[in-house]
Coordinates of all heavy atoms in Angstrom, one line a residue:
M1 N 3.2 9.0 0.0 CA 4.3 8.5 0.9 C 4.0 7.1 1.2 O 2.9 6.7 1.5 CB 4.4 9.4 2.1 CG 5.4 9.0 3.1 SD 5.5 10.0 4.5 CE 6.1 11.5 3.7
F2 N 5.1 6.3 1.2 CA 5.0 4.9 1.6 C 5.2 4.8 3.1 O 6.1 5.5 3.7 CB 6.0 4.0 0.9 CG 5.6 3.7 -0.5 CD1 5.5 4.6 -1.5 CD2 5.2 2.4 -0.8 CE1 5.1 4.3 -2.7 CE2 4.8 2.0 -2.0 CZ 4.7 3.0 -3.0
S3 N 4.5 4.0 3.8 CA 4.7 3.8 5.3 C 5.2 2.4 5.5 O 4.8 1.5 4.9 CB 3.3 4.0 6.0 OG 2.8 5.2 5.7
G4 N 6.2 2.3 6.4 CA 6.8 1.1 6.7 C 6.9 0.9 8.2 O 6.5 1.8 8.9
A5 N 7.4 -0.2 8.6 CA 7.5 -0.5 10.0 C 8.6 0.4 10.6 O 9.7 0.2 10.3 CB 7.9 -2.0 10.2
G6 N 8.2 1.3 11.4 CA 9.1 2.2 12.1 C 9.8 3.2 11.2 O 10.7 3.9 11.7
H7 N 9.4 3.3 10.0 CA 10.0 4.3 9.1 C 9.0 4.7 8.0 O 8.1 3.9 7.7 CB 11.3 3.8 8.5 CG 11.1 2.7 7.6 ND1 11.0 1.4 8.1 CD2 11.1 2.6 6.3 CE1 10.9 0.6 7.0 NE2 10.9 1.3 5.9
T8 N 9.3 5.7 7.3 CA 8.5 6.1 6.2 C 9.5 6.3 5.0 O 10.7 6.5 5.2 CB 7.7 7.4 6.3 OG1 8.6 8.4 6.7 CG2 6.7 7.2 7.4
M9 N 9.0 6.1 3.8 CA 9.8 6.1 2.6 C 9.1 7.0 1.6 O 8.0 6.6 1.2 CB 10.1 4.7 2.1 CG 11.0 4.7 0.9 SD 11.2 3.0 0.3 CE 9.7 2.6 -0.4
S10 N 9.7 8.1 1.2 CA 9.0 8.9 0.2 C 9.5 8.5 -1.2 O 10.7 8.1 -1.3 CB 9.3 10.4 0.4 OG 8.8 10.8 1.6
R11 N 8.6 8.6 -2.2 CA 9.1 8.3 -3.5 C 9.9 9.5 -4.0 O 9.7 10.6 -3.6 CB 7.9 8.2 -4.4 CG 7.0 7.1 -4.3 CD 6.0 7.0 -5.4 NE 4.9 6.2 -5.1 CZ 3.8 6.6 -4.6 NH1 3.6 7.9 -4.5 NH2 2.8 5.8 -4.3
P12 N 10.8 9.3 -4.9 CA 11.5 10.4 -5.5 C 10.5 11.2 -6.3 O 9.5 10.7 -6.8 CB 12.5 9.7 -6.5 CG 12.6 8.3 -6.1 CD 11.3 8.0 -5.4
P13 N 10.6 12.5 -6.3 CA 9.6 13.4 -6.9 C 9.3 13.0 -8.3 O 8.1 13.0 -8.7 CB 10.3 14.8 -6.8 CG 11.2 14.7 -5.7 CD 11.7 13.3 -5.6
A14 N 10.3 12.7 -9.1 CA 10.0 12.4 -10.5 C 9.1 11.2 -10.6 O 8.2 11.2 -11.4 CB 11.3 12.1 -11.3
A15 N 9.4 10.1 -9.8 CA 8.6 8.9 -9.9 C 7.2 9.2 -9.4 O 6.2 8.7 -10.0 CB 9.2 7.8 -9.0
S16 N 7.1 10.0 -8.4 CA 5.7 10.4 -7.9 C 4.9 11.1 -8.9 O 3.8 10.8 -9.2 CB 5.9 11.2 -6.6 OG 4.6 11.6 -6.2
N17 N 5.6 12.1 -9.6 CA 4.9 12.8 -10.6 C 4.4 11.9 -11.8 O 3.3 12.1 -12.3 CB 5.7 14.0 -11.1 CG 5.9 15.0 -10.1 OD1 5.2 15.1 -9.1 ND2 7.0 15.8 -10.3
R18 N 5.3 11.0 -12.2 CA 5.0 10.1 -13.3 C 3.8 9.2 -12.9 O 2.9 9.0 -13.7 CB 6.2 9.2 -13.6 CG 6.8 9.6 -14.9 CD 7.8 8.5 -15.4 NE 8.5 7.8 -14.4 CZ 9.6 8.1 -13.9 NH1 10.2 9.2 -14.3 NH2 10.2 7.4 -12.9
R19 N 3.8 8.7 -11.7 CA 2.8 7.7 -11.3 C 1.4 8.3 -11.3 O 0.5 7.7 -11.6 CB 3.2 7.1 -9.9 CG 2.1 6.2 -9.4 CD 2.7 5.3 -8.3 NE 3.6 4.4 -8.8 CZ 4.4 3.7 -8.0 NH1 4.4 3.9 -6.7 NH2 5.3 2.8 -8.5
Y20 N 1.3 9.5 -10.8 CA 0.0 10.1 -10.6 C -0.4 11.1 -11.6 O -1.4 11.8 -11.3 CB 0.0 10.6 -9.1 CG 0.1 9.5 -8.1 CD1 1.2 9.3 -7.4 CD2 -1.0 8.6 -8.0 CE1 1.3 8.3 -6.5 CE2 -0.9 7.5 -7.1 CZ 0.3 7.4 -6.4 OH 0.4 6.3 -5.5
V21 N 0.3 11.3 -12.7 CA -0.2 12.2 -13.7 C -1.6 11.8 -14.1 O -1.8 10.6 -14.6 CB 0.8 12.2 -14.9 CG1 0.1 12.9 -16.1 CG2 2.0 12.9 -14.5
G22 N -2.5 12.6 -14.0 CA -3.9 12.4 -14.5 C -4.7 11.5 -13.5 O -5.8 11.2 -13.8
A23 N -4.1 11.0 -12.5 CA -4.8 10.1 -11.5 C -5.3 10.9 -10.3 O -4.5 11.6 -9.7 CB -3.9 9.0 -11.1
R24 N -6.6 10.7 -10.0 CA -7.1 11.5 -8.9 C -6.8 10.7 -7.6 O -7.1 9.5 -7.5 CB -8.6 11.6 -9.1 CG -9.3 12.5 -8.1 CD -10.7 12.8 -8.6 NE -11.6 11.7 -8.6 CZ -12.3 11.2 -7.6 NH1 -12.3 11.9 -6.5 NH2 -13.1 10.2 -7.8
R25 N -6.3 11.4 -6.6 CA -6.0 10.8 -5.3 C -7.4 10.7 -4.6 O -8.2 11.5 -4.7 CB -5.1 11.7 -4.5 CG -3.8 12.0 -5.1 CD -2.9 10.9 -5.1 NE -2.3 10.7 -3.8 CZ -1.5 9.7 -3.5 NH1 -1.1 8.8 -4.4 NH2 -0.9 9.6 -2.3
S26 N -7.5 9.6 -3.9 CA -8.8 9.3 -3.3 C -8.8 9.7 -1.8 O -7.7 9.9 -1.2 CB -9.2 7.9 -3.4 OG -8.5 7.1 -2.5
A27 N -9.9 9.8 -1.2 CA -10.0 10.0 0.2 C -9.9 8.7 1.0 O -9.9 8.7 2.2 CB -11.4 10.7 0.6
V28 N -9.7 7.6 0.3 CA -9.6 6.3 0.9 C -8.2 6.2 1.6 O -7.2 6.7 1.1 CB -9.7 5.2 -0.1 CG1 -9.3 3.9 0.4 CG2 -11.1 5.1 -0.6
R29 N -8.2 5.7 2.8 CA -7.0 5.5 3.5 C -6.8 4.0 3.7 O -7.7 3.2 4.2 CB -7.1 6.1 4.9 CG -5.9 5.9 5.8 CD -5.9 6.6 7.1 NE -4.7 6.4 7.8 CZ -3.5 7.0 7.6 NH1 -3.4 7.9 6.6 NH2 -2.5 6.7 8.3
V30 N -5.6 3.5 3.3 CA -5.2 2.1 3.5 C -4.4 2.0 4.7 O -3.5 2.8 5.0 CB -4.4 1.6 2.3 CG1 -4.0 0.2 2.4 CG2 -5.3 1.8 1.0
D31 N -4.6 1.0 5.5 CA -3.8 0.8 6.7 C -3.5 -0.7 6.9 O -4.3 -1.6 6.4 CB -4.5 1.3 8.0 CG -3.6 1.5 9.1 OD1 -2.3 1.4 8.9 OD2 -4.0 1.9 10.2
V32 N -2.4 -1.1 7.5 CA -2.0 -2.4 7.7 C -1.8 -2.6 9.2 O -1.0 -1.8 9.8 CB -0.8 -2.8 6.9 CG1 -0.3 -4.2 7.3 CG2 -1.1 -2.8 5.4
D33 N -2.4 -3.6 9.8 CA -2.2 -3.9 11.2 C -0.8 -4.6 11.3 O -0.7 -5.8 10.9 CB -3.3 -4.8 11.8 CG -3.2 -5.0 13.3 OD1 -2.0 -4.9 13.8 OD2 -4.2 -5.2 13.9
R34 N 0.2 -4.0 11.8 CA 1.5 -4.5 11.9 C 1.6 -5.7 12.8 O 2.5 -6.5 12.7 CB 2.5 -3.4 12.3 CG 2.7 -2.3 11.2 CD 3.4 -2.9 10.0 NE 3.6 -1.8 9.0 CZ 4.2 -2.0 7.9 NH1 4.7 -3.2 7.6 NH2 4.3 -1.0 7.0
K35 N 0.7 -5.8 13.7 CA 0.7 -6.9 14.7 C 0.2 -8.2 14.0 O 0.6 -9.3 14.4 CB -0.2 -6.7 15.9 CG 0.3 -5.5 16.8 CD -0.6 -5.3 17.9 CE -0.2 -4.1 18.7 NZ -1.3 -3.3 19.3
L36 N -0.6 -8.0 12.9 CA -1.1 -9.2 12.2 C -0.2 -9.5 11.0 O 0.0 -10.7 10.6 CB -2.5 -8.9 11.6 CG -3.6 -8.7 12.7 CD1 -4.9 -8.3 12.0 CD2 -3.8 -10.0 13.5
C37 N 0.4 -8.5 10.3 CA 1.1 -8.7 9.1 C 2.4 -9.5 9.3 O 3.2 -9.2 10.2 CB 1.5 -7.3 8.5 SG 2.6 -7.5 7.0
D38 N 2.6 -10.6 8.5 CA 3.7 -11.4 8.6 C 4.6 -11.2 7.4 O 5.5 -12.0 7.1 CB 3.3 -12.9 8.7 CG 3.1 -13.3 10.1 OD1 3.5 -12.6 11.0 OD2 2.5 -14.4 10.3
N39 N 4.4 -10.1 6.6 CA 5.3 -9.8 5.5 C 5.3 -10.9 4.5 O 6.3 -11.2 3.9 CB 6.7 -9.4 5.9 CG 6.7 -8.2 6.7 OD1 6.2 -7.1 6.3 ND2 7.3 -8.2 8.0
H40 N 4.1 -11.5 4.3 CA 4.0 -12.6 3.3 C 4.2 -12.1 1.8 O 4.7 -12.7 1.0 CB 2.6 -13.3 3.3 CG 2.4 -14.1 4.6 ND1 3.0 -15.2 4.8 CD2 1.6 -13.8 5.6 CE1 2.6 -15.7 6.0 NE2 1.8 -14.9 6.5
G41 N 3.7 -10.8 1.6 CA 3.9 -10.2 0.3 C 2.9 -10.5 -0.8 O 3.0 -10.0 -1.9
Q42 N 1.8 -11.2 -0.4 CA 0.8 -11.4 -1.5 C 0.2 -10.1 -1.9 O -0.2 -9.9 -3.1 CB -0.3 -12.3 -0.9 CG 0.0 -13.8 -1.0 CD 0.7 -14.3 0.2 OE1 1.3 -13.5 0.9 NE2 0.7 -15.5 0.5
C43 N 0.0 -9.1 -1.0 CA -0.5 -7.8 -1.4 C 0.4 -7.1 -2.4 O -0.1 -6.5 -3.3 CB -0.7 -6.9 -0.2 SG 0.8 -6.7 0.8
A44 N 1.7 -7.3 -2.3 CA 2.6 -6.7 -3.2 C 2.6 -7.3 -4.6 O 2.9 -6.7 -5.6 CB 4.0 -6.8 -2.7
I45 N 2.1 -8.6 -4.6 CA 1.9 -9.2 -5.9 C 0.7 -8.7 -6.7 O 0.7 -8.4 -7.9 CB 1.9 -10.8 -5.7 CG1 3.2 -11.3 -5.2 CG2 1.5 -11.5 -7.0 CD1 3.2 -12.7 -4.7
V46 N -0.4 -8.6 -6.0 CA -1.7 -8.2 -6.6 C -1.8 -6.7 -6.8 O -2.6 -6.2 -7.6 CB -2.9 -8.8 -5.9 CG1 -2.8 -10.3 -5.9 CG2 -3.1 -8.3 -4.5
A47 N -1.1 -5.9 -5.9 CA -1.2 -4.5 -6.0 C 0.1 -3.8 -5.8 O 0.4 -3.1 -4.9 CB -2.2 -4.0 -4.9
P48 N 1.0 -4.1 -6.8 CA 2.4 -3.6 -6.7 C 2.6 -2.1 -6.7 O 3.6 -1.6 -6.2 CB 3.1 -4.3 -7.9 CG 2.0 -4.5 -8.9 CD 0.8 -4.8 -8.1
A49 N 1.6 -1.4 -7.2 CA 1.7 0.1 -7.2 C 1.4 0.7 -5.8 O 1.8 1.8 -5.5 CB 0.7 0.7 -8.2
V50 N 0.8 -0.2 -4.9 CA 0.4 0.3 -3.6 C 1.3 -0.4 -2.5 O 1.7 0.3 -1.5 CB -1.1 0.1 -3.3 CG1 -1.5 0.5 -1.9 CG2 -1.9 0.8 -4.4
F51 N 1.5 -1.7 -2.7 CA 2.2 -2.4 -1.6 C 3.5 -2.9 -2.2 O 3.5 -3.5 -3.3 CB 1.4 -3.6 -1.2 CG 0.1 -3.3 -0.6 CD1 -1.1 -3.3 -1.4 CD2 -0.1 -3.0 0.8 CE1 -2.3 -2.9 -0.8 CE2 -1.3 -2.6 1.3 CZ -2.4 -2.6 0.5
Q52 N 4.6 -2.8 -1.5 CA 5.9 -3.2 -2.0 C 6.7 -3.8 -0.8 O 6.4 -3.4 0.4 CB 6.7 -2.1 -2.6 CG 6.0 -1.5 -3.8 CD 6.7 -0.2 -4.3 OE1 7.7 0.2 -3.9 NE2 6.1 0.4 -5.3
M53 N 7.6 -4.7 -1.1 CA 8.5 -5.2 0.0 C 9.8 -4.4 -0.2 O 10.4 -4.3 -1.2 CB 8.7 -6.7 -0.2 CG 7.4 -7.5 -0.3 SD 6.2 -7.2 1.0 CE 7.1 -7.9 2.4
D54 N 10.3 -3.9 1.0 CA 11.5 -3.1 0.9 C 12.8 -4.0 0.9 O 12.6 -5.3 0.9 CB 11.6 -2.1 2.0 CG 11.7 -2.7 3.4 OD1 12.0 -3.9 3.6 OD2 11.6 -1.9 4.4
D55 N 13.9 -3.4 1.0 CA 15.2 -4.2 1.0 C 15.3 -5.2 2.1 O 16.1 -6.1 2.1 CB 16.4 -3.3 0.9 CG 16.4 -2.5 -0.4 OD1 15.8 -2.9 -1.4 OD2 17.1 -1.4 -0.5
N56 N 14.6 -4.9 3.2 CA 14.6 -5.8 4.4 C 13.5 -6.8 4.4 O 13.2 -7.4 5.4 CB 14.6 -5.0 5.7 CG 15.8 -4.1 5.8 OD1 16.9 -4.5 5.5 ND2 15.6 -2.8 6.2
S57 N 12.8 -6.9 3.2 CA 11.6 -7.8 3.1 C 10.5 -7.4 4.0 O 9.8 -8.3 4.5 CB 12.0 -9.2 3.2 OG 12.9 -9.6 2.3
E58 N 10.4 -6.1 4.3 CA 9.3 -5.6 5.1 C 8.4 -4.8 4.2 O 8.8 -4.1 3.3 CB 9.8 -4.8 6.3 CG 10.6 -5.6 7.3 CD 10.9 -4.8 8.6 OE1 10.5 -3.6 8.6 OE2 11.5 -5.4 9.4
L59 N 7.1 -4.9 4.6 CA 6.1 -4.2 3.8 C 6.1 -2.7 3.9 O 6.2 -2.2 5.0 CB 4.7 -4.7 4.2 CG 3.5 -4.1 3.5 CD1 3.5 -4.5 2.0 CD2 2.2 -4.5 4.2
V60 N 6.1 -2.0 2.8 CA 5.8 -0.6 2.7 C 4.6 -0.4 1.8 O 4.4 -1.2 0.9 CB 7.1 0.2 2.2 CG1 8.2 0.1 3.2 CG2 7.5 -0.3 0.8
F61 N 3.9 0.6 2.1 CA 2.6 0.8 1.3 C 2.2 2.3 1.2 O 2.6 3.1 2.1 CB 1.5 0.0 1.9 CG 1.1 0.4 3.3 CD1 0.0 1.2 3.5 CD2 1.8 -0.1 4.4 CE1 -0.4 1.6 4.7 CE2 1.4 0.3 5.7 CZ 0.3 1.1 5.8
D62 N 1.5 2.6 0.2 CA 0.9 3.9 0.0 C -0.4 4.0 0.7 O -1.4 3.3 0.3 CB 0.8 4.2 -1.5 CG 0.3 5.6 -1.8 OD1 0.0 6.3 -0.9 OD2 0.4 6.0 -3.0
A63 N -0.5 4.8 1.8 CA -1.7 4.9 2.5 C -2.8 5.6 1.8 O -4.0 5.5 2.2 CB -1.4 5.5 3.9
H64 N -2.5 6.4 0.8 CA -3.5 7.2 0.1 C -3.3 6.9 -1.4 O -2.9 7.8 -2.2 CB -3.4 8.6 0.4 CG -3.7 9.0 1.8 ND1 -2.7 9.0 2.8 CD2 -4.9 9.2 2.4 CE1 -3.3 9.3 4.0 NE2 -4.6 9.4 3.8
P65 N -3.6 5.7 -1.9 CA -3.5 5.5 -3.3 C -4.5 6.2 -4.2 O -5.5 6.6 -3.7 CB -3.7 3.9 -3.4 CG -4.6 3.7 -2.3 CD -4.2 4.6 -1.2
A66 N -4.1 6.4 -5.5 CA -5.1 7.0 -6.4 C -6.3 6.1 -6.6 O -6.2 4.8 -6.4 CB -4.3 7.2 -7.7
D67 N -7.4 6.7 -7.0 CA -8.6 5.9 -7.2 C -8.4 4.7 -8.2 O -9.0 3.7 -8.0 CB -9.7 6.8 -7.8 CG -10.3 7.7 -6.7 OD1 -10.1 7.5 -5.5 OD2 -11.0 8.7 -7.1
S68 N -7.5 4.9 -9.1 CA -7.3 3.9 -10.2 C -6.8 2.6 -9.6 O -6.8 1.6 -10.2 CB -6.4 4.4 -11.3 OG -5.2 4.9 -10.7
Y69 N -6.2 2.7 -8.3 CA -5.7 1.5 -7.7 C -6.6 0.8 -6.7 O -6.2 -0.2 -6.1 CB -4.3 1.8 -7.0 CG -3.3 2.3 -8.0 CD1 -2.6 3.5 -7.8 CD2 -2.9 1.5 -9.1 CE1 -1.6 3.9 -8.7 CE2 -1.9 1.9 -10.0 CZ -1.3 3.1 -9.8 OH -0.3 3.6 -10.6
L70 N -7.8 1.4 -6.5 CA -8.6 0.9 -5.4 C -9.1 -0.6 -5.6 O -9.3 -1.3 -4.6 CB -9.8 1.8 -5.2 CG -9.4 3.2 -4.7 CD1 -10.6 4.1 -4.4 CD2 -8.4 3.2 -3.5
D71 N -9.3 -1.0 -6.9 CA -9.7 -2.3 -7.1 C -8.6 -3.3 -6.7 O -8.8 -4.4 -6.1 CB -10.1 -2.6 -8.6 CG -11.4 -2.0 -8.9 OD1 -12.2 -1.7 -8.0 OD2 -11.7 -1.9 -10.1
E72 N -7.4 -2.9 -7.0 CA -6.2 -3.7 -6.6 C -6.1 -3.8 -5.1 O -5.7 -4.8 -4.5 CB -4.9 -3.1 -7.2 CG -4.8 -3.3 -8.7 CD -3.5 -2.7 -9.2 OE1 -2.6 -2.5 -8.4 OE2 -3.5 -2.4 -10.4
V73 N -6.4 -2.7 -4.4 CA -6.3 -2.6 -2.9 C -7.3 -3.6 -2.4 O -7.0 -4.3 -1.4 CB -6.5 -1.2 -2.4 CG1 -6.6 -1.2 -0.9 CG2 -5.3 -0.3 -2.8
D74 N -8.5 -3.6 -2.9 CA -9.6 -4.5 -2.5 C -9.1 -5.9 -2.6 O -9.3 -6.8 -1.7 CB -10.9 -4.3 -3.3 CG -11.7 -3.1 -2.8 OD1 -11.5 -2.7 -1.6 OD2 -12.5 -2.6 -3.5
E75 N -8.5 -6.2 -3.8 CA -8.0 -7.6 -4.0 C -6.9 -8.0 -3.0 O -6.9 -9.1 -2.5 CB -7.5 -7.7 -5.5 CG -7.2 -9.2 -5.8 CD -6.8 -9.3 -7.3 OE1 -7.0 -8.3 -8.1 OE2 -6.4 -10.4 -7.7
A76 N -6.0 -7.0 -2.8 CA -5.0 -7.3 -1.8 C -5.5 -7.6 -0.4 O -5.0 -8.5 0.2 CB -4.0 -6.1 -1.7
A77 N -6.5 -6.8 0.0 CA -7.2 -7.1 1.3 C -7.8 -8.5 1.3 O -7.7 -9.2 2.3 CB -8.2 -6.0 1.6
D78 N -8.4 -8.9 0.1 CA -9.0 -10.2 0.1 C -7.9 -11.4 0.2 O -8.2 -12.4 0.8 CB -9.8 -10.4 -1.2 CG -11.1 -9.6 -1.2 OD1 -11.5 -9.2 -0.1 OD2 -11.6 -9.4 -2.3
V79 N -6.8 -11.2 -0.5 CA -5.8 -12.3 -0.5 C -4.9 -12.3 0.7 O -4.2 -13.3 0.9 CB -5.0 -12.2 -1.8 CG1 -5.9 -12.3 -3.1 CG2 -4.0 -11.0 -1.9
C80 N -4.9 -11.2 1.4 CA -4.0 -11.2 2.6 C -4.3 -12.4 3.6 O -5.4 -12.4 4.1 CB -4.1 -9.9 3.3 SG -3.1 -9.9 4.9
P81 N -3.3 -13.3 3.8 CA -3.6 -14.5 4.6 C -3.9 -14.1 6.1 O -4.5 -14.9 6.8 CB -2.4 -15.3 4.4 CG -1.3 -14.4 4.0 CD -2.0 -13.3 3.2
M82 N -3.4 -12.9 6.5 CA -3.6 -12.5 7.9 C -4.7 -11.5 8.0 O -5.0 -11.1 9.2 CB -2.3 -11.8 8.4 CG -1.0 -12.7 8.2 SD -1.2 -14.3 8.9 CE -1.2 -13.9 10.7
Q83 N -5.4 -11.2 6.9 CA -6.5 -10.2 7.0 C -6.0 -9.0 7.7 O -6.7 -8.4 8.6 CB -7.8 -10.8 7.6 CG -8.3 -11.9 6.8 CD -8.8 -11.5 5.4 OE1 -9.9 -10.8 5.3 NE2 -8.1 -11.8 4.3
A84 N -4.9 -8.5 7.3 CA -4.2 -7.4 8.0 C -4.4 -6.0 7.3 O -4.0 -5.0 7.9 CB -2.7 -7.6 8.1
I85 N -5.1 -6.0 6.2 CA -5.2 -4.8 5.4 C -6.6 -4.2 5.7 O -7.6 -4.9 5.5 CB -5.0 -5.0 3.9 CG1 -3.6 -5.5 3.6 CG2 -5.3 -3.8 3.1 CD1 -3.4 -6.0 2.2
F86 N -6.7 -3.0 6.0 CA -7.9 -2.3 6.3 C -8.1 -1.1 5.4 O -7.1 -0.3 5.2 CB -8.0 -1.9 7.8 CG -7.9 -3.0 8.7 CD1 -6.7 -3.5 9.2 CD2 -9.1 -3.7 9.1 CE1 -6.6 -4.6 10.0 CE2 -9.0 -4.8 9.9 CZ -7.8 -5.3 10.4
I87 N -9.3 -0.9 4.9 CA -9.6 0.2 4.0 C -10.7 1.1 4.6 O -11.7 0.6 5.0 CB -10.1 -0.4 2.6 CG1 -9.0 -1.3 2.1 CG2 -10.3 0.8 1.7 CD1 -9.6 -2.2 0.9
G88 N -10.3 2.3 4.8 CA -11.3 3.3 5.4 C -11.2 4.6 4.7 O -10.7 4.7 3.5
E89 N -11.7 5.6 5.3 CA -11.6 7.0 4.8 C -11.0 7.9 5.8 O -11.1 7.7 7.0 CB -13.0 7.5 4.4 CG -13.7 6.7 3.3 CD -15.0 7.3 2.9 OE1 -15.3 8.4 3.4 OE2 -15.7 6.7 2.1
D90 N -10.4 9.0 5.2 CA -9.8 10.0 6.1 C -10.9 10.9 6.7 O -12.0 11.0 6.1 CB -8.8 10.9 5.3 CG -7.4 10.3 5.3 OD1 -7.2 9.4 6.2 OD2 -6.6 10.6 4.5
Ligands
LIG101 S1 -0.4 -9.9 2.3 FE1 -1.0 -9.3 4.4 S2 0.5 -10.4 5.7 FE2 1.3 -10.3 3.7 S3 2.6 -8.5 3.5 FE3 0.6 -8.0 2.7 S4 -0.5 -7.1 4.5 FE4 1.3 -8.3 5.3

């Protein structure tokens, strides 16, 4: 499920099934500090499978990405100009 400012957005089931076929979901939890995030979108450029800008140019993201995307998430956290991305575990 993608989380956004004040709302959540679920993927259509077909897209969700396609994206994660054969991909193991990780125990890693991605979070974004909304007080810091300025919706610059650099994270969506380096990790588009996890971070996306919605129709209102606000960030939505997958808080529990598959293991195969964790390197991209690390890179997104590195490039975020506000250092707003946090990576932890559930
Ligand atoms: S790069 Fe950082 S500031 Fe920009 S949208 Fe992503 S989390 Fe927000």
Side-chain angles (χ1 to χ4, degrees):
M1 177 179 296
F2 280 69
S3 301
H7 66 280
T8 56
M9 180 179 77
S10 297
R11 291 189 198 100
S16 177
N17 290 342
R18 252 195 325 272
R19 175 165 289 166
Y20 292 110
V21 165
R24 188 166 64 89
R25 302 288 282 179
S26 80
V28 168
R29 178 174 181 80
V30 177
D31 203 3
V32 173
D33 186 334
R34 294 289 180 179
K35 293 178 187 150
L36 295 175
C37 176
D38 274 345
N39 296 304
H40 292 289
Q42 277 88 338
C43 55
I45 294 171
V46 300
V50 179
F51 301 94
Q52 298 171 7
M53 307 310 290
D54 70 10
D55 291 341
N56 297 316
S57 298
E58 291 189 1
L59 178 67
V60 293
F61 63 98
D62 184 351
H64 295 95
D67 284 347
S68 55
Y69 296 127
L70 296 185
D71 284 346
E72 291 181 17
V73 171
D74 278 340
E75 187 175 351
D78 285 344
V79 303
C80 174
M82 305 307 290
Q83 295 295 286
I85 299 173
F86 297 90
I87 304 166
E89 291 185 12
D90 273 339

